[in-house]
Amino acid sequence: MDSIRLRAMGKINLSIDIRGILDDGYHDVEMVMQSVNLADKLLIRKSSGNFSMKCSNSDVPVGKKNIIYKTWMLMKNKYKIDGGIEVFLEKNIPIAAGMAGGSANSAAVFVGINRLFELGLSDEDLIDLSKELGSDIAFCVKGGTYLATGRGTDLKKLDDLDLDLDVLVCRPNIFVSTKKVYKKFDSLYERNIEIDRPDNEKLIEAIKNKNMDLLVSSMSNVLEPVTKEWCSDIGSIEKIMLEEGAEKAMMSGSGPTVFGFFKDKKKAKKCANILRKQYLQTHLTSMSSKGVEIYGNK
């Protein structure tokens, strides 16, 4: 096998709660994560050089700062891989958007290199290795519906979110620093300010029993009020989604992307057309049970 093609799925957060700070300085999180079919596509080829990369989006760095390069070098050095790789990335997941686009790319490279160079590693092996690079990568290797705790790398498989829903994703035209969002949240936590937390037990129950009403009432993201202070568009987008028939609309990750659940595809398409007039990064997608999908190799 000389090359491999993969789809790297984005994610949304059905909930995010932050319980404090761990001894290693990371935030102690409890969140329900869901893969979606809005995916980046990667072509990875064996090469005689060390590493080269091209991307469809010029805003994405293609050198040593990219997590794809860091993932490759981690695996190359650990498993003494001879030769190199060429990567082409078709970028579809919004950048810096709370949808784990970089983590999804890293997960795809872990899976792809494992298969391309016949390393014989399990998902658990890849997840253990991924912890050196970031917290969301572990989930992106697995994909589907999971409860993530601790640093976000302790994963518990949940029932698939088996509801017939379209997912409308909209990213406001603003960059939000994840580091600043968490720092601002920490100041609220330290001052014991009351925080609207998700009910993850009820959320997990709702997923298991396919209870739409309980699902939407249990979903919440403790970071959303913080990010809204920098990005008023979040509230505006949620308002439009709800007015156009969304069952639920909320922010994913540290933002600024907003997603909405729609039972009616026509309403979802109409809302997408409305939002796209102002926000180019508006996508209609669906739930996925996978994090990484291999769809071609030769």
Side-chain angles (χ1 to χ4, degrees):
M1 185 192 304
D2 294 320
S3 67
I4 190 167
R5 295 178 184 271
L6 309 103
R7 296 178 72 235
M9 314 301 181
K11 66 85 182 168
I12 55 175
N13 293 92
L14 306 185
S15 71
I16 298 182
D17 197 5
I18 300 174
R19 295 296 182 175
I21 306 293
L22 298 169
D23 292 340
D24 59 9
Y26 284 86
H27 287 83
D28 182 12
V29 302
E30 183 180 277
M31 53 190 178
V32 177
M33 305 172 80
Q34 173 65 50
S35 300
V36 293
N37 281 308
L38 179 56
D40 289 344
K41 294 181 179 180
L42 293 90
L43 168 62
I44 306 175
R45 288 196 186 103
K46 290 181 180 178
S47 75
S48 58
N50 178 30
F51 178 86
S52 65
M53 178 179 168
K54 294 181 180 179
C55 182
S56 63
N57 188 324
S58 60
D59 292 332
V60 175
V62 294
K64 294 181 179 180
K65 291 184 178 180
N66 193 290
I67 197 167
I68 289 175
Y69 172 81
K70 295 175 182 178
T71 305
W72 160 243
M73 290 305 297
L74 180 61
M75 297 193 79
K76 179 179 174 64
N77 292 332
K78 185 172 181 64
Y79 298 104
K80 312 300 182 186
I81 298 173
D82 290 329
I85 58 170
E86 299 173 342
V87 181
F88 179 76
L89 172 64
E90 180 185 312
K91 194 67 184 165
N92 299 307
I93 303 170
I95 302 168
M99 294 191 69
S103 296
N105 294 163
S106 176
V109 174
F110 276 118
V111 172
I113 297 303
N114 183 39
R115 181 70 65 89
L116 195 59
F117 290 92
E118 300 178 346
L119 301 178
L121 304 172
S122 67
D123 283 353
E124 286 65 34
D125 293 330
L126 298 178
I127 285 170
D128 285 342
L129 193 58
S130 78
K131 294 175 183 178
E132 298 186 32
L133 296 178
S135 297
D136 284 346
I137 305 170
F139 165 75
C140 291
V141 168
K142 288 286 192 180
T145 313
Y146 274 84
L147 175 69
T149 56
R151 284 174 53 181
T153 55
D154 299 327
L155 301 174
K156 178 183 177 182
K157 181 71 178 81
L158 303 178
D159 294 274
D160 289 336
L161 182 53
D162 191 17
L163 289 167
D164 187 17
L165 296 169
D166 287 291
V167 184
L168 182 57
V169 172
C170 181
R171 186 195 189 283
N173 307 318
I174 187 173
F175 172 79
V176 176
S177 166
T178 298
K179 185 176 181 180
K180 287 183 178 180
V181 171
Y182 273 90
K183 187 174 181 180
K184 179 68 172 178
F185 177 85
D186 289 343
S187 71
L188 301 179
Y189 190 84
E190 290 165 1
R191 286 181 280 151
N192 293 317
I193 292 176
E194 187 173 344
I195 298 166
D196 180 23
R197 300 185 181 279
D199 191 329
N200 283 321
E201 286 188 11
K202 288 185 178 179
L203 180 54
I204 293 168
E205 178 187 341
I207 294 169
K208 181 178 181 180
N209 297 325
K210 303 179 185 179
N211 186 326
M212 188 69 200
D213 291 337
L214 184 60
L215 180 81
V216 300
S217 65
S218 305
M219 292 166 61
S220 183
N221 181 347
V222 297
L223 298 176
E224 183 169 322
V226 176
T227 308
K228 276 183 172 177
E229 290 188 9
W230 289 301
C231 182
S232 60
D233 284 359
I234 292 169
S236 301
I237 293 168
E238 289 175 343
K239 184 173 183 290
I240 291 171
M241 287 185 177
L242 293 171
E243 288 176 347
E244 295 300 324
E247 302 295 320
K248 179 73 175 183
M250 62 180 273
M251 187 183 82
S252 182
S254 58
T257 294
V258 175
F259 69 91
F261 285 157
F262 286 80
K263 287 183 179 178
D264 188 320
K265 186 178 290 289
K266 288 183 178 179
K267 290 182 179 179
K269 288 182 176 179
K270 179 186 174 187
C271 188
N273 290 334
I274 292 170
L275 289 170
R276 204 170 282 122
K277 292 176 182 177
Q278 187 172 353
Y279 307 102
L280 293 178
Q281 294 188 72
T282 300
H283 307 273
L284 192 55
T285 186
S286 58
M287 250 73 76
S288 173
S289 62
K290 299 178 181 179
V292 176
E293 179 182 42
I294 297 171
Y295 71 97
N297 54 66
K298 60 182 180 179

